[in-house]
Amino acid sequence: MSRAAKSTEHRSASAPRDIIGRGPSLADTLALRLKEEIVSGRLQPGEKLPTEQQISETYGVSRPTVREAIGRLKHDGLVVTRQGAGAFVADPSAVAVFRLEVTDFSNKEEIRNIIELLMAVEATATEHAATRRSEEDLKSIQAQLDAMEAAVERGEPGVEEDLAFHRSIVEATGNPFFRDLSDFLDRRVRNFIRTARANTARLGGMTQAVQAEHQAIFNAILRKDAPTARAAAETHLRNAAARLALYLEP
Amino acid sequence: MSRAAKSTEHRSASAPRDIIGRGPSLADTLALRLKEEIVSGRLQPGEKLPTEQQISETYGVSRPTVREAIGRLKHDGLVVTRQGAGAFVADPSAVAVFRLEVTDFSNKEEIRNIIELLMAVEATATEHAATRRSEEDLKSIQAQLDAMEAAVERGEPGVEEDLAFHRSIVEATGNPFFRDLSDFLDRRVRNFIRTARANTARLGGMTQAVQAEHQAIFNAILRKDAPTARAAAETHLRNAAARLALYLEP
DNA sequence: ATAACCAAGTTGCCTGACAAGTAGAAAATT
DNA sequence: AATTTTCTACTTGTCAGGCAACTTGGTTAT
């Protein structure tokens, strides 16, 4: 087959690449396939992956595409490559990357699980914040509390201020993992609410109650009272989850 | 410049690609560079990245390499690409991927932070496990407890059994996020201990005490007593952290 | 028997090219 | 003149082929 001819049938339906089907991108889908091979255990740790050439032929994609897919797996720590030797499935106990993907908002179960994790992380973070907060931290938290107060008085929902308030607390833990994870989960949940709200009747603020709960958390942090701070955070989160439950079981 | 000539000076010291320096791989380092541009805010959300061509010229690497780097960012949700239009910085509040990387074992601070997160997650997980565990779950947990017991009696450290015991508990929460995160953190910490131990005098098992703590956790889960389960888990984790502290402050 | 060497195989990276999609400018129509 | 249509340049997605750097196992020379 001439080069030109092959080039023309790039996307033809009968081409061998239909094996991977359509989707986000060839590399994406190929990466998913290979990942499946690994997590399912069909490819054991330490085992050598097929060569790029072989994979290329098996799945009907070019070598650069294969490289891109393997690059992803390498990025995620699932495989390690050695120039000249090959690509090998990484030892699971040595994987240094954890990846959390939250994309499917229609999956209520997943949202519930995310909220549960958020509650665990943020309650403990608040507890640590109470014992460790510096004067700066305290000032920052109070500033966000006041900003929220102002928003409430202006009659605004103050979602941005709410987020900032929580952010300033987890920041005070001094533990970037708490900060980043909490931040991520928080954003995801809020994003879910926003999309859910678009399809539902809008139900009013409750901002007064929220603000009171915030105040309770702040007071405990102010007094460096860790158990009370934790309890206040748990109450707040439980209530927030209850308000949210309206979207989860229609 | 002829093709052959350019090809020959692939790795020459004076080539423009020295901009990114050496390291894991060109794509890796380029991806890090671009990520820096984004998280630092020099590239604002929604803003268009330079074209692959431009990036290629700026950093002195080929387009496939640029594609690989951008592919990573896409994979991590930091950018979105539209064929024909370009690559754009993603809206941070819409990022659906969380990434946790724990590579630097020499960074004691990082290890401490990881342990702190592990304690938060696993304590809450144990609490949930107590209220939700099925009969199957209970049997599985007991089986792991017994296996650990047997290992102790054989005079073995039983690290594998220990890990399996914890795994069976977090499994019982029914929340895959708890399971996966806890599993990851646990493995990381144990891995740190193993590498640290190689450079230090080996200090004995303490396996008896560990086993007693495990038993306490199990008893609470058996009785579906969530608060006690949490407390027992916290005690166990605190003690484990204390044993570990020997490696953190030499 | 051991050591040095060599050749095949594999990943890492590059160039060049075409297909597919986008967006704005130019042209045609009303 | 305003609006719609068309076209063209640009950008990403993919492929093909090729050379450099490195690994590995067998072969040869000592």
Side-chain angles (χ1 to χ4, degrees):
Chain A
M1 186 190 293
S2 86
R3 168 122 179 259
K6 178 128 198 188
S7 204
T8 321
E9 64 172 60
H10 238 201
R11 282 280 190 185
S12 101
S14 60
R17 88 175 42 78
D18 273 345
I19 297 171
I20 9 181
R22 299 311 228 65
S25 95
L26 291 185
D28 274 328
T29 25
L30 178 55
L32 238 71
R33 287 242 166 170
L34 294 174
K35 183 179 176 181
E36 237 296 298
E37 294 281 314
I38 293 172
V39 298
S40 74
R42 273 193 296 279
L43 278 165
Q44 284 292 312
E47 199 171 341
K48 188 176 167 307
L49 270 71
T51 68
E52 296 179 352
Q53 185 85 44
Q54 282 175 308
I55 297 177
S56 162
E57 284 160 11
T58 306
Y59 292 95
V61 296
S62 72
R63 200 162 82 87
T65 304
V66 173
R67 282 188 58 72
E68 208 176 319
I70 291 182
R72 292 248 220 300
L73 301 182
K74 206 166 45 169
H75 184 56
D76 289 347
L78 271 70
V79 310
V80 288
T81 59
R82 276 176 23 234
Q83 184 171 349
F88 303 83
V89 179
D91 175 7
S93 76
V95 171
V97 177
F98 177 72
R99 200 162 186 283
L100 197 60
E101 202 163 342
V102 186
T103 42
D104 189 6
F105 280 172
S106 64
N107 187 344
K108 315 272 190 199
E109 181 69 19
E110 188 165 301
I111 299 286
R112 250 190 294 266
N113 285 336
I114 282 292
I115 292 172
E116 199 166 276
L117 183 58
L118 172 63
M119 290 173 73
V121 172
E122 202 147 330
T124 310
T126 307
E127 186 180 355
H128 289 321
T131 59
R132 306 220 266 260
R133 100 283 189 291
S134 68
E135 285 306 313
E136 248 105 325
D137 291 328
L138 191 68
K139 251 185 260 178
S140 164
I141 298 170
Q142 174 142 38
Q144 301 305 339
L145 186 71
D146 293 345
M148 176 91 185
E149 182 79 43
V152 171
E153 280 176 9
R154 282 198 306 274
E156 294 170 15
V159 281
E160 274 309 315
E161 289 81 359
D162 188 20
L163 181 63
F165 176 71
H166 286 117
R167 256 195 133 269
S168 67
I169 290 177
V170 294
E171 182 76 50
T173 61
N175 187 332
F177 295 120
F178 272 104
R179 164 165 46 80
D180 295 344
L181 180 55
S182 180
D183 202 47
F184 171 75
L185 297 172
D186 213 344
R187 281 184 196 279
R188 283 285 84 188
V189 172
R190 285 166 202 273
N191 222 305
F192 162 74
I193 295 173
R194 204 164 49 217
T195 59
R197 190 169 270 168
N199 307 343
T200 337
R202 182 133 191 287
L203 64 159
M206 298 245 188
T207 40
Q208 300 263 345
V210 169
Q211 186 65 357
E213 291 164 19
H214 282 182
Q215 186 72 53
I217 294 173
F218 174 77
N219 288 344
I221 293 178
L222 171 68
R223 300 198 319 272
K224 295 199 176 184
D225 182 347
T228 306
R230 174 178 198 102
E234 279 176 348
T235 302
H236 177 51
L237 288 162
R238 212 177 350 257
N239 289 344
R243 288 190 277 270
L244 220 156
L246 296 170
Y247 299 110
L248 290 174
E249 324 200 41
Chain B
M1 188 190 292
S2 87
R3 166 122 181 259
K6 179 126 200 189
S7 201
T8 322
E9 65 172 62
H10 239 201
R11 283 277 190 186
S12 100
S14 60
R17 90 176 38 80
D18 272 345
I19 297 172
I20 12 182
R22 300 311 230 66
S25 95
L26 291 186
D28 274 328
T29 26
L30 179 54
L32 237 70
R33 286 243 167 171
L34 294 175
K35 184 178 176 182
E36 236 296 297
E37 295 281 315
I38 293 172
V39 298
S40 75
R42 273 192 295 279
L43 279 166
Q44 285 291 311
E47 199 171 339
K48 188 175 167 307
L49 270 71
T51 68
E52 295 180 352
Q53 186 85 45
Q54 283 175 308
I55 297 177
S56 161
E57 284 161 11
T58 305
Y59 292 95
V61 296
S62 73
R63 201 163 79 87
T65 304
V66 174
R67 283 188 57 73
E68 206 176 320
I70 291 182
R72 293 250 219 302
L73 301 182
K74 206 167 46 171
H75 185 55
D76 290 347
L78 270 69
V79 311
V80 288
T81 60
R82 279 178 18 237
Q83 184 171 352
F88 303 84
V89 179
D91 176 8
S93 77
V95 170
V97 176
F98 177 73
R99 199 162 188 281
L100 197 61
E101 200 163 344
V102 186
T103 41
D104 190 5
F105 280 172
S106 64
N107 188 344
K108 315 272 190 199
E109 182 69 20
E110 188 166 301
I111 299 286
R112 250 189 294 266
N113 285 335
I114 282 291
I115 292 172
E116 199 166 277
L117 183 58
L118 172 63
M119 288 173 74
V121 172
E122 202 147 329
T124 310
T126 308
E127 187 181 354
H128 289 321
T131 60
R132 307 220 265 261
R133 101 284 189 290
S134 66
E135 285 306 313
E136 249 104 325
D137 291 329
L138 191 69
K139 250 185 261 178
S140 164
I141 298 170
Q142 175 142 36
Q144 301 304 339
L145 186 72
D146 292 345
M148 175 90 186
E149 182 79 42
V152 171
E153 279 175 10
R154 282 198 305 275
E156 294 170 16
V159 280
E160 273 308 316
E161 289 80 359
D162 188 20
L163 181 63
F165 175 71
H166 286 118
R167 254 194 135 272
S168 66
I169 289 177
V170 295
E171 183 75 50
T173 61
N175 186 333
F177 295 120
F178 272 103
R179 164 165 49 77
D180 295 345
L181 180 55
S182 181
D183 202 46
F184 170 75
L185 297 172
D186 213 345
R187 282 185 195 279
R188 282 286 82 187
V189 172
R190 283 165 204 273
N191 222 304
F192 162 74
I193 296 172
R194 203 163 51 216
T195 60
R197 190 169 272 167
N199 307 342
T200 336
R202 182 129 191 288
L203 65 158
M206 298 248 189
T207 40
Q208 301 265 343
V210 170
Q211 186 64 358
E213 291 164 19
H214 282 183
Q215 186 72 51
I217 294 173
F218 174 77
N219 289 343
I221 292 178
L222 170 67
R223 302 197 318 272
K224 296 200 176 185
D225 183 347
T228 306
R230 176 179 196 100
E234 279 177 345
T235 302
H236 177 51
L237 288 162
R238 214 181 345 261
N239 289 344
R243 286 188 278 271
L244 219 155
L246 296 170
Y247 299 111
L248 289 173
E249 325 201 40

